[in-house]
Amino acid sequence: MSDPNDPTQPTRRSDFPVLRTITTRWHDNDHYGHVNNVVYYAYFDTAVNGYLIEASGTDIRGLPAIGIVAETSCRFLRELSFPDTVHAGLALEKLGNSSVVYRIGLFRNEETEPAALGRFVHVYVDAVTRRPVPVPPPVRAALTALREGYVGFGALP
């Protein structure tokens, strides 16, 4: 497992090649008036899978291989709360044969320092047998674009 304090990993907003916008919802807040910790993991899942669908141009749910979340972690740094807008930064830590390790930063509104830093590991398995298989080609292409800082045919904003 990588060190969440590793200075070579992205931490600031500008370190992430992709930012995906997520709108907080009223029911994301808990009794204490901030987004409940489990919701951060839903933001991670939404950011990763939204990116894969958009960047690959494929409905990944219909592929013969699916990404199973094998590991996830989150370091909470600042509160998020409704009605904040969350910008989920995505970066690639590692692309293997059948697995992918993402780094995710959650940024509140226009802040440059993260509210949370996460790690999210997908292992690709056959949709029927649940045995590990190589990352599907359309997903690998989207991940290569993420690693290189490109989506589609142009540079990312």
Side-chain angles (χ1 to χ4, degrees), residues 21 68 71 94 128:
T21 302
I68 300 293
E71 178 186 327
K94 180 182 177 214
V128 176

Side-chain angles (χ1 to χ4, degrees), residues 56-104:
S56 71
T58 302
D59 184 346
I60 59 173
R61 297 171 297 177
L63 293 173
I66 57 174
I68 300 293
V69 178
E71 178 186 327
T72 187
S73 62
C74 183
R75 195 169 82 204
F76 301 95
L77 303 167
R78 293 176 182 74
E79 290 184 348
L80 295 171
S81 182
F82 178 82
D84 291 339
T85 297
V86 176
H87 300 278
L90 295 177
L92 199 61
E93 182 178 316
K94 180 182 177 214
L95 176 56
N97 181 51
S98 62
S99 65
V100 184
V101 181
Y102 300 91
R103 292 295 242 177
I104 302 170

